């Protein structure tokens, strides 16, 4: 027997053998058994996803001698002829080469006659969007009044090119790209059957390349089996298909995260000398970082459908210790430079430039981490306590490239701050020395019980400002409205910019900790948010005063000074919107 390519040899003959399109095959099976099949059906979707295969199975369903049935017998004359593509009553027409009006007129003429020996005359028109306007018009005439013995099954990759008049007379079924794991499974079954020695990782490379098309996957598999003998390795596949080894993508990301420039440059060099497509490598790197970010953000499984299961596990490990903002920064830089690399005469050097830039990017900090850092800076500046630890930050004057290591206090002179990635942000509580000193100067000789509510609050605020300048600043206009056994109620204005910042689990917990230490007992803190009496008339005034408040806020001042920046815009956000 002549050699049959896998795509033909393993072409599904029954609905339940079709991969990844159960939403369509189920509907069609129901339509056949309930006798509600439409006269014109349109199958649309990407190439190689099973449109004509499903059309043929459907033809067998209605023309099978034991039909109509959802499981054609595959034994009768009709079933066998359809499988061999030589059935007298089923016409497979290529729309691309029979796109003229004469072709459709001929079809209409022919359709008037009854089928030879089947219940239906079936026209399967592939690539139907290729028909000319006149041909579509001729087709419309027969679709408007189709003879009872005629069925039309259309297939197209571009349904948008089909006139609406035709579309409105068709029942439409949209085929999906087949999920990568389903393609791998299908190929694995075939390989077992054929005695081909190949593992899932290697099949994953082929499936990626097929981009959701079963037919493409099987054609590539054919090509590889023909070229390679014995056990098929990933290396053979990357060589034969000229694609990038997945391990290289993972290794590159690892090198970027680890600041390992040597490895990354040697990868570039290797790909270049092997004659690999560098722009393709870069595109895959972008895709990989996109997937890592999706995963880091707890992304939906659907958003990662192009990633095989075995890779997801490795990705989860790779992204474990990497912060979301850093990933975003990397992805952003890769995207920004993509166009430049595509345009460049030397893609390799352009790409290396991007990698140099990426190595210069420090892991970005989240807003919370930034606030903590500012607090720490101000604490350090106020108490002069920063020995005994490695420098948390290196400071350099804005606009100067060479970073010089400087002690923390020098940042008070108004220089820009650069956070060094090598050191994790230290928690304010992680400086026991400072804590000891501070607690003595406030509590020694102070009899808390003898203080009035106002005095207690003033002392507390002072302590909070020392421990966390950011929180202290937020409490500027607050009052202590209620103090019972272990409950403190803090009064703040609802319209104040501080409320959003204060009213988070994390900050309330921080306040409780500081106050608890001060009062030497555990306390619970609640906010007494006072509605201001503003109405529509004075809302503008309120907005203005809010902006002024923000502008004069000590924290804003400190941030501007610390980063040597300037205020570009002040936006008023709705209150109560912040959740942690
Ligand atoms: Zn049959």
């Amino acid at each position: 027997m002549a050699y049959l390519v896998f795509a033909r040899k393993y072409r599904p003959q029954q609905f339940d053998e079709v991969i990844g399109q159960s939403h369509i095959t189920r509907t069609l099976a129901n339509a056949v058994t309930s006798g509600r099949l439409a006269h014109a059906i349109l199958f649309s979707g990407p190439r190689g996803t099973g449109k004509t295969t499903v059309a043929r199975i459907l033809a067998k369903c209605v023309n099978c001698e034991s039909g109509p049935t959802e499981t054609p017998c595959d034994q009768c004359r009709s079933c066998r002829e359809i499988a061999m593509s030589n059935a007298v009553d089923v016409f497979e027409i290529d729309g691309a080469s029979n796109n003229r009006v004469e072709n459709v007129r001929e079809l209409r003429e022919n359709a008037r006659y009854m089928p030879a020996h089947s219940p239906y005359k079936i026209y399967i028109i592939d690539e139907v969007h290729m028909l000319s306007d006149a041909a579509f018009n001729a087709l419309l005439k027969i679709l408007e009044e189709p003879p009872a013995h005629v069925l039309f099954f259309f297939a197209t990759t571009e349904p948008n090119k089909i006139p609406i008049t035709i579309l409105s007379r068709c029942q439409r079924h949209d085929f999906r790209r087949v999920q990568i794991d389903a393609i791998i499974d299908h190929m694995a079954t075939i390989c077992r059957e054929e005695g081909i020695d190949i593992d899932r990782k290697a099949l994953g490379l082929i499936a990626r390349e097929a981009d959701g098309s079963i037919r493409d996957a099987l054609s590539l598999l054919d090509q590889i089996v023909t070229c390679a003998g014995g056990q098929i390795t990933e290396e053979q596949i990357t060589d034969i298909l000229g694609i990038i080894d997945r391990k290289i993508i993972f290794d590159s990301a690892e090198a970027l995260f680890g600041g390992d420039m040597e490895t990354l440059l040697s990868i570039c060099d290797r790909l270049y000398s092997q004659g690999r497509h560098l722009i393709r490598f870069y595109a895959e790197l972008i895709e990989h970082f996109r997937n890592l970010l999706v995963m880091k953000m707890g992304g939906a499984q659907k958003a990662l459908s192009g990633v095989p299961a075995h890779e997801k596990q490795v990705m989860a490990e790779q992204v474990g210790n990497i912060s979301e903002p850093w990933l975003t920064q990397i992805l952003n830089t890769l995207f920004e430079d993509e166009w430049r690399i595509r345009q460049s005469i030397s893609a390799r050097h352009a790409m290396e430039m991007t990698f140099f830039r990426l190595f210069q990017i420090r892991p970005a900090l989240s807003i919370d981490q930034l606030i903590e850092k500012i607090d720490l800076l101000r604490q350090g500046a106020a108490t002069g306590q920063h020995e005994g630890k490695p420098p948390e930050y290196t400071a350099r004057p804005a606009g100067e490239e060479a970073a010089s290591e400087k002690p923390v206090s020098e940042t008070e002179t108004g220089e820009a701050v650069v956070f060094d990635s090598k050191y994790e942000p230290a928690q304010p509580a992680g400086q026991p020395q400072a804590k000891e000193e501070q607690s003595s100067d406030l509590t020694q000789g102070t009899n808390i019980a003898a203080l009035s509510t106002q005095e207690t609050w003033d002392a507390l605020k002072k302590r909070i400002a020392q421990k966390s300048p950011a929180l202290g600043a937020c409490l500027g206009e607050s009052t202590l409205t209620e103090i019972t056994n272990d409950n403190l109620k803090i009064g703040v204005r609802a319209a104040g910019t501080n409320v959003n910042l204060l009213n988070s689990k994390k900050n309330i917990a921080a306040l409780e900790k500081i106050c608890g230490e001060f009062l030497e007992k555990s306390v619970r803190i609640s906010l007494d948010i006072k509605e201001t009496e503003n109405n529509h008339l004075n809302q503008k005034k309120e907005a203005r005063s809010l902006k002024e408040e923000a502008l004069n806020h000590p924290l804003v001042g400190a941030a501007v000074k610390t980063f040597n920046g300037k205020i570009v815009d002040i936006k008023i956000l709705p209150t109560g919107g912040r959740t942690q």
Side-chain angles (χ1 to χ4, degrees):
M1 195 177 139
Y3 178 72
L4 261 187
V5 295
F6 292 145
R8 282 193 61 195
K9 188 171 175 185
Y10 293 94
R11 167 171 266 167
Q13 297 299 331
Q14 298 284 332
F15 279 144
D16 62 5
E17 293 169 9
V18 177
I19 312 286
Q21 314 293 351
S22 57
H23 61 295
I24 292 171
T25 51
R26 248 196 332 266
T27 313
L28 291 175
N30 284 339
V32 169
T33 48
S34 63
R36 291 182 194 188
L37 202 64
H39 272 275
I41 297 179
L42 174 69
F43 299 122
S44 71
R47 48 184 256 108
T49 49
K51 298 182 294 295
T52 46
T53 298
V54 167
R56 279 191 199 152
I57 298 174
L58 188 57
K60 286 197 292 186
C61 289
V62 292
N63 274 359
C64 178
E65 281 168 17
S66 53
T69 168
E70 60 181 287
T71 49
C73 72
D74 279 330
Q75 305 296 326
C76 69
R77 176 178 168 186
S78 173
C79 283
R80 278 186 288 118
E81 282 180 356
I82 292 172
M84 306 284 288
S85 297
N86 58 9
V88 282
D89 292 320
V90 177
F91 304 87
E92 289 192 34
I93 300 162
D94 173 23
S97 50
N98 298 284
N99 62 348
R100 292 172 306 131
V101 64
E102 292 78 11
N103 300 121
V104 179
R105 282 203 187 120
E106 196 185 316
L107 181 155
R108 262 168 53 194
E109 200 56 35
N110 176 289
R112 289 188 1 222
Y113 304 105
M114 293 301 285
H117 57 76
S118 325
Y120 292 98
K121 230 175 192 172
I122 299 172
Y123 294 91
I124 299 175
I125 307 183
D126 202 9
E127 302 295 348
V128 68
H129 63 270
M130 300 291 280
L131 294 192
S132 68
D133 289 348
F136 269 127
N137 279 333
L139 186 64
L140 185 60
K141 287 215 175 83
I142 191 167
L143 286 184
E144 280 169 344
E145 286 173 54
H149 61 269
V150 172
L151 295 176
F152 288 100
F153 302 156
F154 304 127
T156 180
T157 46
E158 296 180 69
N160 53 308
K161 289 188 180 165
I162 298 174
I164 188 80
T165 44
I166 301 280
L167 284 178
S168 66
R169 283 175 174 81
C170 296
Q171 187 186 80
R172 178 169 164 180
H173 297 274
D174 292 326
F175 282 63
R176 298 172 182 155
R177 276 203 167 73
V178 182
Q179 301 252 325
I180 194 160
D181 281 318
I183 297 183
I184 296 175
D185 287 342
H186 186 55
M187 285 194 292
T189 312
I190 290 176
C191 288
R192 258 196 311 277
E193 201 116 321
E194 297 280 331
I196 298 164
D197 191 3
I198 185 169
D199 66 15
R200 280 187 77 85
K201 272 191 186 171
L203 289 175
L205 283 175
I206 303 172
R208 265 186 70 85
E209 200 59 14
D211 192 25
S213 162
I214 289 272
R215 185 174 61 223
D216 284 2
L218 296 187
S219 304
L220 291 172
L221 186 64
D222 265 318
Q223 191 185 335
I224 285 156
V225 170
T226 315
C227 297
Q231 195 199 4
I232 299 171
T233 62
E234 287 172 72
E235 202 184 343
Q236 280 175 313
I237 293 173
T238 54
D239 278 347
I240 294 168
L241 301 183
I243 57 177
I244 312 289
D245 188 345
R246 294 298 294 159
K247 191 169 177 301
I248 287 182
I249 301 294
F250 278 85
D251 287 351
S252 305
E254 202 64 51
L256 265 177
F257 290 144
D260 184 354
M261 192 166 346
E262 205 182 323
T263 300
L264 199 52
L265 290 186
S266 76
I267 287 175
C268 291
D269 187 55
R270 200 162 71 227
L271 290 173
Y272 182 74
S273 55
Q274 286 174 349
R276 293 281 191 263
H277 203 316
L278 288 179
I279 288 170
R280 167 121 196 226
F281 162 69
Y282 192 79
E284 286 198 23
L285 207 56
I286 288 182
E287 193 191 348
H288 184 61
F289 276 99
R290 176 263 181 201
N291 289 341
L292 288 176
L293 184 60
V294 169
M295 181 165 262
K296 188 72 191 180
M297 293 171 86
Q301 282 299 307
K302 257 194 178 168
L304 291 171
S305 64
V307 184
H310 63 263
E311 280 193 10
K312 281 185 190 154
Q313 206 180 335
V314 189
M315 276 169 57
E317 283 163 25
Q318 185 158 64
V319 89
N321 293 320
I322 309 298
S323 78
E324 207 176 290
W326 191 17
L327 272 175
T328 312
Q329 265 186 329
I330 295 176
L331 188 58
N332 201 16
T333 307
L334 289 175
F335 260 126
E336 274 173 8
D337 287 5
E338 192 190 8
W339 188 82
R340 195 173 54 79
I341 291 169
R342 280 182 190 279
Q343 298 299 312
S344 172
I345 299 169
S346 165
R348 176 188 176 178
H349 294 137
M351 205 163 72
E352 284 175 350
M353 268 307 297
T354 302
F355 292 148
F356 293 146
R357 274 194 349 141
L358 282 172
F359 279 120
Q360 283 164 353
I361 294 179
R362 298 301 188 192
L365 297 175
S366 67
I367 296 293
D368 281 346
Q369 285 173 311
L370 268 178
I371 289 178
E372 263 169 32
K373 293 237 178 204
I374 292 175
D375 278 357
L376 211 61
L377 262 177
R378 292 176 47 154
Q379 268 183 18
T383 60
Q385 301 266 341
H386 37 251
E387 357 7 8
K389 280 204 134 217
E392 300 291 341
Y393 323 102
T394 53
R396 69 179 178 211
E400 206 176 292
E401 276 312 304
S404 56
E405 298 263 331
K406 290 185 183 184
V408 180
S409 56
E410 284 188 27
T411 56
E412 279 296 284
T413 59
E415 291 162 346
V417 175
V418 175
F419 299 123
D420 194 318
S421 64
K422 291 195 180 76
Y423 302 110
E424 281 298 307
Q427 301 300 318
Q431 288 187 311
Q433 250 187 321
K435 188 176 142 194
E436 290 297 306
E437 282 229 357
Q438 282 164 17
S439 46
S440 58
D441 67 2
L442 266 171
T443 46
Q444 238 171 31
T446 310
N447 183 359
I448 297 164
L451 295 174
S452 72
T453 310
Q454 187 55 47
E455 284 166 336
T456 310
W457 184 232
D458 286 343
L460 255 174
K461 278 207 287 190
K462 211 165 152 191
R463 165 61 75 85
I464 294 165
Q466 275 187 351
K467 288 277 188 179
S468 167
L471 284 178
C474 290
L475 291 169
E477 282 183 39
S478 63
T479 52
L480 192 60
T481 54
E482 207 179 307
I483 176 164
T484 55
N485 246 347
D486 48 4
N487 278 306
L488 296 183
K489 199 176 252 183
I490 301 172
V492 282
R493 276 199 314 126
T497 42
N498 310 333
V499 178
N500 286 337
L501 190 62
L502 279 176
N503 203 5
S504 75
K505 258 188 202 162
K506 191 181 164 190
N507 286 333
I508 293 285
L511 277 178
E512 283 174 347
K513 186 163 181 280
I514 297 171
C515 294
E517 277 167 14
F518 182 69
L519 300 170
E520 292 172 334
K521 61 181 179 182
S522 71
V523 291
R524 299 204 49 77
I525 285 180
S526 54
L527 292 184
D528 183 9
I529 300 169
K530 289 179 193 137
E531 293 295 334
T532 44
E533 307 124 19
N534 59 332
N535 51 33
H536 287 296
L537 281 173
N538 60 20
Q539 257 179 5
K540 266 192 182 167
K541 201 174 140 201
E542 178 73 14
R544 205 162 44 236
S545 80
L546 274 178
K547 283 194 177 180
E548 259 166 41
E549 189 185 327
L551 206 60
N552 295 325
H553 199 290
L555 186 60
V556 175
V560 170
K561 196 176 168 197
T562 315
F563 292 110
N564 197 14
K566 61 176 184 181
I567 296 167
V568 180
D569 190 17
I570 301 172
K571 286 204 175 97
I572 297 170
L573 303 171
T575 50
R578 189 186 163 101
T579 49
Q580 280 292 109

